Short mmCIF file of all heavy atoms in Angstrom, two decimals:
data_model
loop_
_atom_site.label_atom_id
_atom_site.label_comp_id
_atom_site.label_asym_id
_atom_site.label_seq_id
_atom_site.Cartn_x
_atom_site.Cartn_y
_atom_site.Cartn_z
N MET A 28 -152.97 -40.51 60.33
CA MET A 28 -151.53 -40.60 60.09
C MET A 28 -151.21 -41.96 59.56
O MET A 28 -151.49 -42.97 60.18
CB MET A 28 -150.79 -40.36 61.41
CG MET A 28 -149.28 -40.57 61.30
SD MET A 28 -148.49 -40.23 62.87
CE MET A 28 -146.82 -40.63 62.44
N ASN A 29 -150.67 -42.04 58.42
CA ASN A 29 -150.34 -43.32 57.80
C ASN A 29 -148.89 -43.67 58.05
O ASN A 29 -147.98 -42.89 57.84
CB ASN A 29 -150.58 -43.27 56.29
CG ASN A 29 -152.05 -43.19 55.98
OD1 ASN A 29 -152.87 -43.70 56.77
ND2 ASN A 29 -152.41 -42.57 54.89
N GLY A 30 -148.68 -44.91 58.53
CA GLY A 30 -147.32 -45.36 58.71
C GLY A 30 -146.67 -45.67 57.39
O GLY A 30 -147.31 -46.02 56.43
N GLY A 31 -145.36 -45.57 57.34
CA GLY A 31 -144.65 -45.89 56.12
C GLY A 31 -144.80 -47.34 55.76
O GLY A 31 -144.95 -48.20 56.59
N SER A 32 -144.77 -47.61 54.49
CA SER A 32 -144.94 -48.98 54.02
C SER A 32 -143.60 -49.60 53.72
O SER A 32 -142.88 -49.18 52.83
CB SER A 32 -145.83 -48.99 52.76
OG SER A 32 -145.89 -50.28 52.24
N LEU A 33 -143.23 -50.58 54.51
CA LEU A 33 -141.97 -51.29 54.28
C LEU A 33 -142.23 -52.73 53.85
O LEU A 33 -141.34 -53.56 53.87
CB LEU A 33 -141.13 -51.28 55.57
CG LEU A 33 -140.71 -49.89 56.05
CD1 LEU A 33 -139.87 -50.03 57.29
CD2 LEU A 33 -139.95 -49.15 54.97
N GLY A 34 -143.46 -52.98 53.50
CA GLY A 34 -143.81 -54.35 53.10
C GLY A 34 -144.30 -55.12 54.29
O GLY A 34 -143.70 -55.10 55.35
N ILE A 35 -145.43 -55.80 54.13
CA ILE A 35 -146.03 -56.52 55.25
C ILE A 35 -146.03 -58.00 54.94
O ILE A 35 -146.25 -58.42 53.83
CB ILE A 35 -147.49 -56.04 55.47
CG1 ILE A 35 -147.52 -54.49 55.52
CG2 ILE A 35 -148.07 -56.60 56.74
CD1 ILE A 35 -146.71 -53.90 56.60
N TYR A 174 -150.49 -61.79 63.65
CA TYR A 174 -149.23 -61.58 62.95
C TYR A 174 -148.51 -60.40 63.59
O TYR A 174 -149.07 -59.68 64.43
CB TYR A 174 -149.47 -61.30 61.46
CG TYR A 174 -150.43 -60.16 61.19
CD1 TYR A 174 -150.04 -58.83 61.26
CD2 TYR A 174 -151.77 -60.42 60.85
CE1 TYR A 174 -150.93 -57.79 61.03
CE2 TYR A 174 -152.65 -59.40 60.61
CZ TYR A 174 -152.24 -58.09 60.69
OH TYR A 174 -153.11 -57.05 60.47
N THR A 175 -147.27 -60.22 63.20
CA THR A 175 -146.49 -59.06 63.63
C THR A 175 -145.99 -58.33 62.39
O THR A 175 -145.68 -58.96 61.38
CB THR A 175 -145.30 -59.47 64.51
OG1 THR A 175 -144.50 -60.42 63.80
CG2 THR A 175 -145.78 -60.09 65.81
N LEU A 176 -145.93 -57.03 62.48
CA LEU A 176 -145.39 -56.25 61.37
C LEU A 176 -143.89 -56.47 61.29
O LEU A 176 -143.23 -56.80 62.29
CB LEU A 176 -145.71 -54.77 61.56
CG LEU A 176 -147.21 -54.41 61.60
CD1 LEU A 176 -147.39 -52.92 61.84
CD2 LEU A 176 -147.90 -54.82 60.31
N PRO A 177 -143.29 -56.28 60.12
CA PRO A 177 -141.86 -56.54 59.96
C PRO A 177 -141.01 -55.66 60.87
O PRO A 177 -141.42 -54.54 61.22
CB PRO A 177 -141.60 -56.19 58.48
CG PRO A 177 -142.92 -56.24 57.82
CD PRO A 177 -143.93 -55.86 58.86
N PRO A 178 -139.85 -56.13 61.28
CA PRO A 178 -138.95 -55.30 62.09
C PRO A 178 -138.64 -53.99 61.36
O PRO A 178 -138.40 -53.98 60.15
CB PRO A 178 -137.70 -56.17 62.24
CG PRO A 178 -138.17 -57.57 62.02
CD PRO A 178 -139.30 -57.48 61.03
N GLY A 179 -138.64 -52.92 62.09
CA GLY A 179 -138.35 -51.62 61.51
C GLY A 179 -139.56 -50.90 60.94
O GLY A 179 -139.43 -49.75 60.49
N HIS A 180 -140.73 -51.55 60.94
CA HIS A 180 -141.92 -50.87 60.44
C HIS A 180 -142.25 -49.69 61.36
O HIS A 180 -142.18 -49.81 62.58
CB HIS A 180 -143.09 -51.85 60.38
CG HIS A 180 -144.26 -51.32 59.60
ND1 HIS A 180 -145.14 -50.40 60.11
CD2 HIS A 180 -144.68 -51.58 58.34
CE1 HIS A 180 -146.06 -50.13 59.20
NE2 HIS A 180 -145.79 -50.82 58.12
N PRO A 181 -142.62 -48.56 60.80
CA PRO A 181 -142.90 -47.37 61.63
C PRO A 181 -143.96 -47.60 62.69
O PRO A 181 -143.89 -47.00 63.78
CB PRO A 181 -143.36 -46.32 60.61
CG PRO A 181 -142.75 -46.75 59.32
CD PRO A 181 -142.69 -48.25 59.36
N CYS A 182 -144.95 -48.45 62.42
CA CYS A 182 -146.01 -48.67 63.41
C CYS A 182 -145.51 -49.43 64.64
O CYS A 182 -146.14 -49.38 65.69
CB CYS A 182 -147.18 -49.41 62.77
SG CYS A 182 -148.13 -48.40 61.60
N ASN A 183 -144.40 -50.16 64.49
CA ASN A 183 -143.86 -50.88 65.65
C ASN A 183 -143.27 -49.93 66.69
O ASN A 183 -143.28 -50.22 67.88
CB ASN A 183 -142.78 -51.87 65.20
CG ASN A 183 -143.36 -53.07 64.49
OD1 ASN A 183 -144.53 -53.40 64.66
ND2 ASN A 183 -142.57 -53.72 63.66
N SER A 184 -142.73 -48.82 66.24
CA SER A 184 -142.10 -47.86 67.15
C SER A 184 -142.96 -46.62 67.36
O SER A 184 -142.50 -45.64 67.93
CB SER A 184 -140.73 -47.44 66.60
OG SER A 184 -140.85 -46.89 65.29
N PHE A 185 -144.22 -46.68 66.89
CA PHE A 185 -145.10 -45.52 67.00
C PHE A 185 -145.45 -45.25 68.47
O PHE A 185 -145.84 -46.15 69.21
CB PHE A 185 -146.37 -45.74 66.20
CG PHE A 185 -147.36 -44.61 66.29
CD1 PHE A 185 -147.19 -43.46 65.55
CD2 PHE A 185 -148.45 -44.70 67.15
CE1 PHE A 185 -148.10 -42.42 65.63
CE2 PHE A 185 -149.37 -43.68 67.24
CZ PHE A 185 -149.19 -42.53 66.48
N ILE A 186 -145.28 -44.02 68.89
CA ILE A 186 -145.61 -43.59 70.25
C ILE A 186 -146.62 -42.46 70.16
O ILE A 186 -146.43 -41.51 69.39
CB ILE A 186 -144.35 -43.14 71.02
CG1 ILE A 186 -143.34 -44.29 71.12
CG2 ILE A 186 -144.72 -42.63 72.40
CD1 ILE A 186 -142.03 -43.89 71.79
N LEU A 187 -147.67 -42.57 70.94
CA LEU A 187 -148.70 -41.54 70.93
C LEU A 187 -148.14 -40.23 71.46
O LEU A 187 -147.63 -40.17 72.58
CB LEU A 187 -149.89 -41.99 71.79
CG LEU A 187 -151.16 -41.16 71.68
CD1 LEU A 187 -151.77 -41.32 70.29
CD2 LEU A 187 -152.16 -41.58 72.75
N PRO A 203 -153.30 -39.14 66.80
CA PRO A 203 -152.79 -39.90 65.64
C PRO A 203 -152.91 -41.40 65.85
O PRO A 203 -152.79 -41.91 66.96
CB PRO A 203 -151.32 -39.46 65.55
CG PRO A 203 -151.24 -38.18 66.32
CD PRO A 203 -152.25 -38.30 67.41
N VAL A 204 -153.14 -42.10 64.75
CA VAL A 204 -153.19 -43.56 64.73
C VAL A 204 -152.31 -44.03 63.58
O VAL A 204 -152.36 -43.47 62.48
CB VAL A 204 -154.63 -44.09 64.54
CG1 VAL A 204 -154.63 -45.60 64.38
CG2 VAL A 204 -155.50 -43.68 65.72
N CYS A 205 -151.50 -45.05 63.82
CA CYS A 205 -150.60 -45.56 62.78
C CYS A 205 -151.30 -46.65 61.99
O CYS A 205 -151.32 -47.82 62.39
CB CYS A 205 -149.31 -46.09 63.41
SG CYS A 205 -147.99 -46.38 62.20
N TYR A 206 -151.91 -46.28 60.86
CA TYR A 206 -152.51 -47.25 59.96
C TYR A 206 -151.46 -47.69 58.94
O TYR A 206 -150.53 -46.96 58.64
CB TYR A 206 -153.69 -46.63 59.21
CG TYR A 206 -154.78 -46.07 60.08
CD1 TYR A 206 -154.94 -44.69 60.22
CD2 TYR A 206 -155.66 -46.90 60.76
CE1 TYR A 206 -155.95 -44.16 61.01
CE2 TYR A 206 -156.66 -46.38 61.56
CZ TYR A 206 -156.80 -45.01 61.68
OH TYR A 206 -157.80 -44.49 62.47
N ILE A 207 -151.65 -48.87 58.39
CA ILE A 207 -150.79 -49.31 57.30
C ILE A 207 -151.49 -48.99 55.98
O ILE A 207 -152.70 -48.74 55.96
CB ILE A 207 -150.46 -50.82 57.40
CG1 ILE A 207 -151.72 -51.67 57.19
CG2 ILE A 207 -149.83 -51.14 58.74
CD1 ILE A 207 -151.44 -53.16 57.14
N PRO A 208 -150.78 -48.96 54.86
CA PRO A 208 -151.40 -48.63 53.58
C PRO A 208 -152.55 -49.58 53.25
O PRO A 208 -152.58 -50.75 53.68
CB PRO A 208 -150.25 -48.77 52.58
CG PRO A 208 -149.01 -48.55 53.38
CD PRO A 208 -149.31 -49.13 54.73
N ASP A 211 -151.88 -53.10 51.83
CA ASP A 211 -151.34 -54.02 52.82
C ASP A 211 -152.43 -54.50 53.78
O ASP A 211 -152.44 -55.66 54.19
CB ASP A 211 -150.21 -53.36 53.60
CG ASP A 211 -148.99 -53.07 52.73
OD1 ASP A 211 -148.80 -53.80 51.74
OD2 ASP A 211 -148.26 -52.11 53.02
N LEU A 215 -153.74 -58.43 54.39
CA LEU A 215 -153.65 -59.07 55.70
C LEU A 215 -155.00 -59.51 56.26
O LEU A 215 -155.05 -60.03 57.38
CB LEU A 215 -152.99 -58.10 56.69
CG LEU A 215 -151.48 -57.91 56.51
CD1 LEU A 215 -150.95 -56.81 57.41
CD2 LEU A 215 -150.73 -59.21 56.77
N GLN A 406 -158.56 -50.58 56.88
CA GLN A 406 -157.48 -50.07 57.73
C GLN A 406 -157.88 -50.07 59.20
O GLN A 406 -157.06 -50.35 60.08
CB GLN A 406 -157.09 -48.66 57.28
CG GLN A 406 -156.41 -48.61 55.92
CD GLN A 406 -156.10 -47.20 55.48
OE1 GLN A 406 -157.01 -46.40 55.25
NE2 GLN A 406 -154.83 -46.89 55.35
N GLU A 409 -157.77 -53.72 60.38
CA GLU A 409 -156.39 -54.17 60.54
C GLU A 409 -155.79 -53.61 61.82
O GLU A 409 -155.12 -54.34 62.56
CB GLU A 409 -155.56 -53.73 59.33
CG GLU A 409 -154.16 -54.33 59.27
CD GLU A 409 -153.16 -53.68 60.21
OE1 GLU A 409 -153.27 -52.46 60.45
OE2 GLU A 409 -152.28 -54.41 60.73
N ARG A 410 -156.03 -52.34 62.08
CA ARG A 410 -155.39 -51.70 63.23
C ARG A 410 -155.94 -52.20 64.57
O ARG A 410 -155.19 -52.45 65.51
CB ARG A 410 -155.57 -50.17 63.14
CG ARG A 410 -155.11 -49.40 64.37
CD ARG A 410 -153.64 -49.62 64.67
NE ARG A 410 -153.24 -49.00 65.93
CZ ARG A 410 -153.35 -49.58 67.12
NH1 ARG A 410 -153.82 -50.82 67.21
NH2 ARG A 410 -152.97 -48.95 68.21
N ARG A 414 -154.33 -56.80 63.84
CA ARG A 414 -152.97 -56.60 64.35
C ARG A 414 -152.87 -56.93 65.83
O ARG A 414 -151.81 -57.35 66.32
CB ARG A 414 -152.52 -55.15 64.10
CG ARG A 414 -151.01 -54.95 64.24
CD ARG A 414 -150.61 -53.49 64.22
NE ARG A 414 -151.15 -52.74 63.08
CZ ARG A 414 -151.00 -51.43 62.93
NH1 ARG A 414 -150.35 -50.73 63.84
NH2 ARG A 414 -151.53 -50.81 61.88
N THR A 415 -153.96 -56.73 66.57
CA THR A 415 -153.97 -57.03 68.00
C THR A 415 -154.53 -58.41 68.31
O THR A 415 -154.62 -58.79 69.48
CB THR A 415 -154.81 -55.97 68.76
OG1 THR A 415 -156.15 -55.97 68.23
CG2 THR A 415 -154.22 -54.59 68.59
N GLU A 532 -158.40 -42.34 69.82
CA GLU A 532 -158.17 -43.16 68.63
C GLU A 532 -159.48 -43.34 67.86
O GLU A 532 -159.51 -43.32 66.62
CB GLU A 532 -157.61 -44.52 69.02
CG GLU A 532 -156.20 -44.46 69.59
CD GLU A 532 -155.69 -45.80 70.04
OE1 GLU A 532 -156.40 -46.50 70.80
OE2 GLU A 532 -154.57 -46.19 69.62
#
Side-chain angles (χ1 to χ4, degrees):
M28 174 178 177
N29 290 331
S32 175
L33 298 181
I35 310 300
Y174 54 80
T175 56
L176 298 178
H180 193 282
C182 289
N183 287 337
S184 57
F185 178 79
I186 299 176
L187 191 67
V204 174
C205 193
Y206 303 107
I207 66 174
D211 293 332
L215 287 173
Q406 292 177 295
E409 189 283 326
R410 172 60 186 86
R414 196 190 308 175
T415 59
E532 292 177 310

